[in-house]
Amino acid sequence: MLPTFDVVVIGGGPAGIAAAVRAAECGVNVAIVDDNAFLGGQIWRKSFSLDAHAGEASLWFRRLEKAKVATFCGKRVFCQPEPGVLICEGDDHVLELRYRNLVLATGAREGFLPFPGWTLPNVMGAGGLQAMVKSGLPIAGKRVVVAGTGPLLLAVAAYLRKQGAEIPILCEQASWDKLARFGLTLLASPKKFAQALQLKRELAVNFSANTWPVAAHGTTKLESVTISHNGQTETINCHYLACGFHLVPNSELSALLGCEIRNAFVQTDELQRTTVPGIFCAGEPTSIGGLELSLIEGQIAGLAAAGRVLDAERLFPERKAARRFARHLEHTFSLRNELRTLPSSDTIVCRCEDVRYSRLQRHSSWRSAKLHTRCGMGPCQGRVCGPATAFLFKWNPDSVRPPLFPVRVDSLATCSTPAPENVIGDH
Amino acid sequence: MRMPSEITIKVNGHALSVPVGATVAVAMALAVSKCRTSVSGELRGPLCGMGICFECRVNINGRRHRKSCQILCEPDMEVSSED
């Protein structure tokens, strides 16, 4: 059996790595867990053809290695049978982790919205397609329409272009007006402004605001996309549609552990403490603020979890500045009302159970839709259609129950509380 | 960038060469551009690319419902789409 760790960090992206590094550098016993094959999360996902990370990521990876953090990859937390114990499912076994303090750095996923044809193969998330290319998908010479909303679209378009893809258009649903005001706020942050300028240089693609996808076409896979631009529609042939509507926090584990969640975000105090004693949260689950904020919050959480409150407090001013950027992001890339009218009556909303829009319209709540249509009851447990229906119908999410993910029956058996011995055979 | 070397796996019974380090989701995209058939008969491939959506699930070495975007190809792996 593994020892009890002073600090266990869930999630190996920038926030989790920063938390693990700062905690371990204080001399406490730290473990970090991630469900992917490698640490790095999404933004620091390494390309399959490269041996090592570059830039800022490489510095953090070096510190992580030096700090002797116990690393568990390919492990998914699915339940907490008792406080201080987490059960994770691995490839062919179950891992039990005991912690004194816990840092939740579970990151974010892309927001998806249903529109006719969005379930066709080769319609992917923007970050989703980038992850596929980093995992070996050849993209050189392919035509990719990038669409949706958020700064991630620019980064993805720049990356794909660098890999040799042709990007006929980048469709951003936000208005020019909002984008211009967002651009002005970047002037207050020299680092972000420089990043934006560099992206613009690398991008050199047809960027179109006030533009969004209305339908994807194809028989066995995507062949073309129809977009709406200032009231006009246009159909563009392409191999892939990379389409994401900003980011959604992964707050399911926090909810399962009893942490307070408001408007999908995990509530934390100055030291990144959640409302549950001994449980901290850092990065995108607390607010969508990007890499810089994730690194700062991760460090504060890691230091605080290791008992170094004074060191953590030194990072407060930096975090305050980074949080301002998060608020601008939220305002700029909020979804416009027109997107609620994208699905037609036979558009699939829940991809796991193939529940169509017309069946959901009859219901007044997420709970009612789940019980009557199986919407959100499939393998992804509503991680895709939950945020979509929250936007389409203004439904509130339900409570989260274990197991957090579908798991094997033998994994589930390890999670159940054993019956007291005297019960068996007494009757 | 170094030239990636290749390994051979089997997808739906046919041999396929993939670069070392590629995920099974990539192999499926190269071979058949779908991973599974949905409950109402639609063809589906990966959506999120990061282990959230379960659209990329396939059978690997006889085990069902594996998330192919999170699993690396290994020599002689036998993969099939979920129909």
Side-chain angles (χ1 to χ4, degrees), chain A residues 35-36 42 45 48-49 51 76 91 119 121 124-125 128 132 135-136 221 348 351 353-354 379-380 406 408, chain B residues 1-2 19-20 22-23 26 33 36 38-40 42-44 46-50 52 54-55 63 66 70:
Chain A
D35 67 336
N36 279 288
Q42 299 311 318
R45 182 186 283 269
F48 76 106
S49 59
D51 291 323
R76 218 162 283 126
D91 219 14
T119 53
M124 293 185 207
M132 286 286 286
S135 305
K221 62 182 175 188
I348 284 174
R351 304 170 61 117
E353 298 287 338
D354 285 2
C380 93
R408 296 186 300 270
Chain B
M1 205 164 83
R2 68 190 155 84
V20 171
T23 57
V26 167
S33 71
R36 68 178 194 104
S38 77
V39 293
S40 70
E42 287 193 353
L43 306 181
R44 298 283 171 80
L47 174 71
C48 78
M50 55 183 79
I52 297 277
F54 286 74
E55 286 286 40
R63 265 172 60 189
R66 308 299 316 275
Q70 291 186 314

Side-chain angles (χ1 to χ4, degrees), chain A residues 17 87 103 167 239 368 413:
Chain A
I17 290 174
I87 311 286
V103 178
I167 316 279
H239 298 102
S368 166

